[in-house]
Structures are given as structure tokens and as C-alpha cells.
Amino acid sequence: MTLAAADLDVSNLPAYAHDWALVDVETSGLVARRDRVLSVAVVTVGPDGQQTGEFSTLLDPGCDPGPVHVHGLTAERLRGAPAFEEVAQRIAGMLEGRVLVAHNAQFDYDFLAHEFARAGVLLPVARRLCTLALNRRVDPPTQDLRLGTLAAHYGVPRLRAHDALDDTRVLAGVLRASLREAARLDLPLPFVTCPPRQDARFTPSPPKTPCAFRNPGRMAMGGPLVQGMKIAVTGATATARAELVHRAVAAGLNVMSSVSRHTGVLVTNDRSSGSAKARRAVAEGVPVIDEQEFLRLLEDVRPGTAHEASTQAGAPAPSTTVPMPTAAPSTTVPVPAAAPVPAARESAAHEPLSTAPTPVPAPREPVSTAPAPVPTAPAPVPAVREADPAGPLRGRRVLVLGGTHPEAASARVRVVELGGAAAINLSSGVTDVVLLAGAEADRRMRRIETLRIPAYEEAWLDAPVVAPVPAWSERRQGPQVLPRGGVVDLPDRRAGSLWSVSATWAQQTTCEIDLVAFLVDEDDQVSCDEHFVFYGAPESPDGAVRLLTDGPTEQTVTADLGALPPAVRRVVVAAAIDGTPTFGDVGAVQVTTGPGGSAAPLAQAALDAATTERTLLLAELYRRGPLWRFRAVGQGYDHGLAALARGYGVDVAD
């Protein structure tokens, strides 16, 4: 923290002076709808930064306390503690009228929301602030953004990690320092309105048992059925629908709620029903049989190929593909297209990581179906030469202001080629600014001048001459900078497999941007609609993939790679605009990936691929033999989110 920030009084700055309720919970697990709160602490702080109250208690969850080695709360320690409903009203009184603050705030908020719902008490929180998201915007010179690391950086003493009350007191000190840094940089606080688009209709359903077999394709006329075939049922049936589905699943078939080009057979007793599934089956050429024929074929389902056996450990995956929804005429819906994936690395995890860019493939032929929004071909983007890790901008973070979207995109590409990292927002980590035409009108210019950050004309990028980077920048190992299409192997993380993909963009006033994720199989299709994770259903049924809302300029998808079903070969992360602007209006989107949420990121990419597009494929985590890889995609399309989801086999209502 700078001396100027340490001396800054934010109590007279309305944008940074609020009544705060700082919260920390210790829990029996990581899934809020399933696990319970074991201890809770609340510290209230006034607009002047002074503590006004505190409360903490252990809680009897009525279940196994989970990972005792993490939180130290044994069943014996919790025995006799109050149940959450006994303290809910007291906690509600401390939260009411205040902004809830936590480190990784969505985690704490979600657990409190579920506990309050179980207790039948209203959770009186209108807004929350995540100090992790705030410090990602501030970008302090630390190796990571864990609470303990930030406390050490800001000079806040910490006595007992994973003690709810001590963590909350530490959080109060980190919040005060972070607010001063944000005010120094004139950064808007990343408030999140609560609840974030929550609705009882979107409560995650019980997990669908993943099909253990690969999809063998469509059924031949007359049969047989093969384990792994995707089956859909429409219309009335003599056998109860639940019983029919149970028998199909027990036989090793994959029962889907929609029809796509990968459906093996549609079961219906009324071929002329005109249902959406029946119409799609006709359009796709999917075989159609009646219930009696289906029941007969269920008596002799042939063995399929198990997902676990589809790729031998240590061997290259034979057909891993990259999903690219294709351009199509007005009577088509885009479908994913294949692209070669680089050969699996055989080097150890600690060796240098591969970053070779992957060309964007030619699309497959589109599949005809009902009318859909018309996508156009992706807009051209500047060619990317391989970055020079020892280039003149090594260790520097360069912010580009002004210019048209193509001009700014070209400048950011040049920054990466010269070994630097392209910044999207102003932060304490920005070392240089490039000024294009119109940059003087940017509201950040006044703050840049106040902070005396070096600013240069565009010609500076031809042969940049720079002052030495600050000492803290030399000490901090920044993430690997990837070009569009760049690939990096994820380290072998035997101690844990939680991985995150975060997207950041400039503050918007005319639209909202939503991050989504598709969990797709070897056919580039979701196994069920619940494998589409978005703002309305922010968690996959098994909790392996979650969407975190970190503020108006940042969202994160987390994936527990070790918990993903074998059928999931790839997690595709995309962004969609809710409103009339396009990604050309939004500007670049920065994507980072790393372990967990607060650890140092492994890699980052500034994606400028879109101009008139309203959906943008950002990145993917995909299996490659025994490894997982991350790819920065950066492919934009003019159609909306519904058409993109249909391309991955999601049943989207018109």
C-alpha cells in the first residue's frame, strides 16, 4: 500500500463510506445447498472505518462436520452449540441496513442464504462486496490474493487462520486498506445486488446419474439399442414416464430432455404430434419408434464403450475437439465444429508450459432446424505473432486508451508480442499507458495524470523505451500471457483439482454481460440441460461447476476437475451480452485461469476477437489424455445466447 493511500481518509467520500457487516463462516463442505455452517462471525464497521459491534458462535449442524483438518471443528467441540435457527434473528439484526462483506463473498452469502431459508427467516442483505474481487481490481503487488497474503501486505496482524472471528477482524483491516487503495485509483466498488437473480424455479435439481458410456450414434433401422445412445421421449406413454426412464437408464442408455443431431432415437406413440421434439427429429433425420418397439429393444441392449476406457491413461486423446458454433443461414442453428487439439505433453508439470497458438478451424456444415438468429462470420482480428517473453515490455502491464475498437485491439496485440500484458482496467499494477486518438476524453486520464503513470503515443509501440519496472513488479511472478488460441497445460494438482476461469471487462452502463459454461461430451453436446451453467442455474447438479458473480465487471466459473463426470470432456466458457450493444462496444475481455479463486493465476489473455458479435467463446478447460488444458479461444458470433446454447444441445424454450 502506498503512503498516499495510507494517509487517505475515505470517510468523507460517499462512494467508499458505508455501513459494513463483515462476515466469515466455517462450513462442513463447499456446496451451500447440501453442506452446513459450523461457525459464524459478524463484525460491523461504520462509514468512518471504526468497529461498532461483533458476534461469533459455534453452531451444531446436526451432521458430520466434514474436513476437520481444515477448520479444526470436531463433532465434540460443536456438541451443545446452538442451531443456526436459534441465532438467525440476532445475525439478521447485524446485517440489516449494511453491505455484507466477505473474502469470496458469494460463498459466505450462499451459505447464509440457505441457512436463513432453512430457519424460515428473511436474510436482510440488499448488497454485498467481495474483498477478493475488489483486490483483483486494485491489483496489489502480491503473489496471490489469499486473505493471509493481503493481511501481510496491508500490515494487518493475523492470529488464527480459519477462526471465524479472527478472520473477520482481519477482514476488517483488509477492507479499510483496500478501500483506501480503490479511492486512490478512483475505482468503483464492485457491489453485487442480492439475491443475484435467485428464484425457486432455478434451485438445482438432484444430480442426474451420468451415463457411463460413450454415444455410439444413431440406432439403425430395426435396432439394436447400444449402451450410451441418447434417447428422447415425447407425448403420452402407456408405461409411466418415470418407469420408462428408469428402465432406459438401468439399461445404460442416456435419456435426454431434448432432441439434437446426436440423438440416437426418439420414442413417441404419436408421430404426428407436432411437438418440438418430433419436429426436431424430422429435421435432423433421427429414427422414431413407438413405445412397444422401444420396450422390445430394451430387452437386448448391446454393450457400449465406457467413457473411462475411451482414452487410455498417458495416451493422446484421438478425437478431442474444439467447439465453434458455425455461421449459418436463417433456417439453421449453429453447431459446434471440430478442430485438432495439440498432442498431449509428455513433460513433467514443472517444465515450461506450451503456449503455441491454435488456428481457428473451418466450421462443419450447419444442421437444419427451426429458424434462429442469424450469425455472421467471425470478424477478422489482428494476426498474432508469438509473444517474446524476453521482449522490451517484459514484466509490464500496459493500458490502451482511446482509438476505434480495431485500433485498440491491434495495440493490445502489439503489447503482448513485445512480452507485456494488456490491461483492461486501471489498477495499481498498470506500469504504462498507450494513448490513441480520443484518449483525452477517457475519465481515467485525470487519475493517470495524478498517479504519474507514464503515457505514450501509439508510435512508442514500434520501439518502446521504458523506465525500469518497480521493484515489486520484479519480485512478483505474473501470469503467463497467452495470445488468442494459446494453450497451456494445467499443473498436476494432486492436492486439489478446483480450477477457475475469470473474465473481466470495462465498466458498462448500457448493458449487462453474463458468463456461462457448457459441460460437453466428445460430441460437443451437453449430457443434460443441467450441464448448462448460467445466471438462472449457477451450479451444475453435482456442484462440480459453479458460476460466481464478483461484481458488474467480473464473473468467474469454477470447475472441480476431479469431480466432473467421465462423460464431460470439456468445460466451455462463453460470455453473452444482455442488451443491444455488441462486444465491439464493450472492448477487450480479459480472461485469467488459475487454481482455486485466490491463488496466483497461471495464465491470462486479452481477447479482442469480437466487433458486431453478441456472444463470445472465451476459453475452455479440456481433457487431453491424463492432463487438463486451458485454451484461450476468443471467437465471437452475432447470435444470442439461446442459439449458442442450442448449438451445444441445450433445450431452450422459444
Side-chain angles (χ1 to χ4, degrees), residues 16 33 43 90 106 173 191 256 362 437 467 500:
Y16 304 95
R33 60 183 165 82
V43 170
R90 181 170 182 179
Q106 183 160 341
F191 289 119
M256 306 294 293
S500 67

Side-chain angles (χ1 to χ4, degrees), residues 342-369:
R345 286 265 311 276
E346 296 182 359
S347 57
H350 63 271
E351 292 183 0
L353 300 172
S354 169
T355 59
T358 301
V360 177
R364 290 178 185 161
E365 289 297 316
V367 176
S368 176
T369 184

Side-chain angles (χ1 to χ4, degrees), residues 286-614:
V286 172
V288 179
I289 60 176
D290 62 24
E291 179 184 357
Q292 290 302 314
E293 176 70 3
F294 181 61
L295 291 172
R296 183 185 68 80
L297 292 172
L298 275 179
E299 300 298 325
D300 185 26
V301 177
R302 304 298 168 83
T305 302
H307 282 292
E308 293 88 344
S310 61
T311 302
Q312 297 180 356
S319 59
T320 306
T321 60
V322 179
M324 294 289 177
T326 64
S330 59
T331 57
T332 64
V333 167
V335 297
V341 172
R345 286 265 311 276
E346 296 182 359
S347 57
H350 63 271
E351 292 183 0
L353 300 172
S354 169
T355 59
T358 301
V360 177
R364 290 178 185 161
E365 289 297 316
V367 176
S368 176
T369 184
V374 183
T376 62
V381 295
V384 181
R385 296 189 294 271
E386 187 171 350
D388 181 3
L393 296 185
R394 180 180 65 86
R396 309 190 77 87
R397 191 164 300 178
V398 183
L399 178 64
V400 177
L401 297 184
T404 64
H405 179 76
E407 290 168 346
S410 179
R412 281 186 283 264
V413 167
R414 182 61 179 152
V415 168
V416 173
E417 291 173 350
L418 293 170
I424 305 302
N425 291 305
L426 178 63
S427 72
S428 63
V430 171
T431 58
D432 307 276
V433 179
V434 171
L435 306 177
L436 306 181
E440 65 280 357
D442 193 295
R443 61 177 294 273
R444 293 169 288 186
M445 275 303 303
R446 182 177 178 182
R447 186 62 54 175
I448 289 168
E449 292 168 354
T450 301
L451 297 174
R452 298 182 179 179
I453 301 175
Y456 307 95
E457 299 296 327
E458 182 180 9
W460 174 75
L461 290 174
D462 295 333
V465 177
V466 297
V469 296
W472 58 259
S473 183
E474 287 284 3
R475 293 192 300 268
R476 180 172 66 173
Q477 182 179 359
Q480 190 166 358
V481 178
L482 299 179
R484 175 175 177 256
V487 175
V488 64
D489 292 341
L490 305 188
D492 181 6
R493 292 179 49 79
R494 291 182 175 85
S497 57
L498 187 65
W499 208 262
S500 67
V501 177
S502 297
T504 307
W505 46 85
Q507 189 91 22
Q508 303 298 309
T509 59
T510 59
C511 68
E512 292 185 0
I513 299 174
D514 295 309
L515 211 61
V516 301
F518 301 93
L519 286 63
V520 300
D521 58 18
E522 60 271 1
D523 295 319
D524 302 332
Q525 299 285 288
V526 297
S527 296
C528 57
D529 287 346
E530 291 76 17
H531 280 181
F532 172 36
V533 175
F534 66 111
Y535 61 84
E539 182 179 304
S540 61
D542 54 9
V545 176
R546 302 186 68 217
L547 172 65
L548 307 180
T549 303
D550 303 319
T553 64
E554 178 180 359
Q555 294 178 28
T556 298
V557 169
T558 63
D560 186 346
L561 303 179
L564 288 172
V568 176
R569 311 305 298 174
R570 180 168 45 257
V571 178
V572 180
V573 179
I577 291 179
D578 183 8
T580 56
T582 68
F583 276 104
D585 302 313
V586 169
V589 177
Q590 180 170 286
V591 178
T592 59
T593 187
S598 58
L602 171 70
Q604 72 176 46
L607 302 176
D608 276 299
T611 52
T612 62
E613 293 89 335
R614 296 179 56 243

Side-chain angles (χ1 to χ4, degrees), residues 219-222 232 234 259 263-273 277-283 285-291 293-294 297:
M219 185 189 77
M221 293 303 297
T234 187
V259 171
T263 302
V265 65
L266 174 67
V267 179
T268 180
N269 289 326
D270 183 4
R271 295 174 182 246
S272 61
S273 66
K277 292 179 184 177
R279 294 197 308 271
R280 185 72 185 267
V282 171
V286 172
V288 179
I289 60 176
D290 62 24
E291 179 184 357
E293 176 70 3
F294 181 61
L297 292 172

